[in-house]
Amino acid sequence: MKVLVLGIGNILFGDEGIGVHLANYLKVNYSFSSSSHSIEFIDGGTLAQALIPLIVEYDSVLMLDSVDVADAKIGDVYSFPFNALPKQVTWAGSAHEVEMLQTLRLTEILGDLPPLHIVGIVPKIIGEDTTFELSEELLQGAKTMEQEALKYIQNLGFKAQKIDSIPLQEIAYNSYRGY
């Protein structure tokens, strides 16, 4: 089984880039092993529809992203299969999120969407100022996000071993360089 961990978001706008930052965090701080599965961590940025050819190549996808949820607090984490998208998750926080939701629905309609699980967190909306700084609420919530992602990956049959402890904020400062 080929597994994709797909980080989504715009890393230039603080909390908005959490999906990319957390995918990079998992990639550098953990070693994942399985006798029969492979796993890849990819920065999907804000590419949306351009990701369709990539997504369909995998047997399972874990997508990490920021989400907009009615009446939620910054840092609240939601973990769910795409085919059970909660009604309160509107995904209207930014242009990339709406586009990503449409991309996933299109891929699903075409019958090409592999099983997809989403771990999302409610971001602090940064506005138009470019920053790599993550809000304190998001950094706290990202700990839950990390645990949800690890649980999902382990349930697919991977062993996860912590190999480093590079802080998430440090990862965010350097995500533009790629990991």
Side-chain angles (χ1 to χ4, degrees):
M1 174 183 353
K2 286 175 51 180
V3 176
L4 172 62
V5 177
L6 183 61
I8 300 295
N10 189 333
I11 64 168
L12 299 176
F13 292 109
D15 288 3
E16 159 94 10
I18 185 59
V20 173
H21 302 319
L22 188 61
N24 288 335
Y25 176 88
L26 293 170
K27 182 179 182 179
V28 300
N29 284 314
Y30 288 90
S31 170
F32 296 94
S33 59
S34 169
S35 60
S36 58
H37 307 317
S38 64
I39 190 166
E40 286 190 63
F41 294 82
I42 294 183
D43 171 354
T46 58
L47 297 174
Q49 290 185 7
L51 294 171
I52 292 173
L54 176 71
I55 291 170
V56 301
E57 292 297 317
Y58 290 85
D59 300 305
S60 184
V61 177
L62 172 60
M63 192 173 87
L64 307 172
D65 199 359
S66 57
V67 292
D68 191 23
V69 180
D71 300 320
K73 297 184 312 260
I74 296 167
D76 284 353
V77 174
Y78 295 83
S79 182
F80 52 90
F82 178 70
N83 62 5
L85 183 69
K87 290 188 188 320
Q88 74 267 28
V89 177
T90 62
W91 240 324
S94 71
H96 96 263
E97 291 165 342
V98 173
E99 213 175 303
M100 194 67 220
L101 179 59
Q102 291 169 341
T103 296
L104 295 175
R105 286 195 173 136
L106 173 64
T107 309
E108 183 179 43
I109 288 168
L110 295 172
D112 291 332
L113 188 67
L116 187 136
H117 192 86
I118 298 163
V119 178
I121 189 169
V122 177
K124 180 176 183 180
I125 303 303
I126 301 299
E128 297 180 11
D129 295 331
T130 301
T131 182
F132 294 111
E133 200 74 36
L134 303 175
S135 70
E136 189 55 41
E137 300 93 334
L138 186 110
L139 287 169
Q140 289 305 309
K143 294 173 186 174
T144 300
M145 201 177 179
E146 173 187 355
Q147 293 309 308
E148 286 295 317
L150 288 171
K151 182 170 64 173
Y152 181 79
I153 292 167
Q154 290 168 332
N155 284 340
L156 290 176
F158 288 89
K159 283 186 180 179
Q161 180 180 353
K162 188 117 185 203
I163 58 170
D164 210 337
S165 296
I166 300 171
L168 182 58
Q169 183 60 70
E170 186 177 329
I171 298 285
Y173 286 141
N174 294 291
S175 281
Y176 72 94
R177 294 179 178 167
Y179 281 95

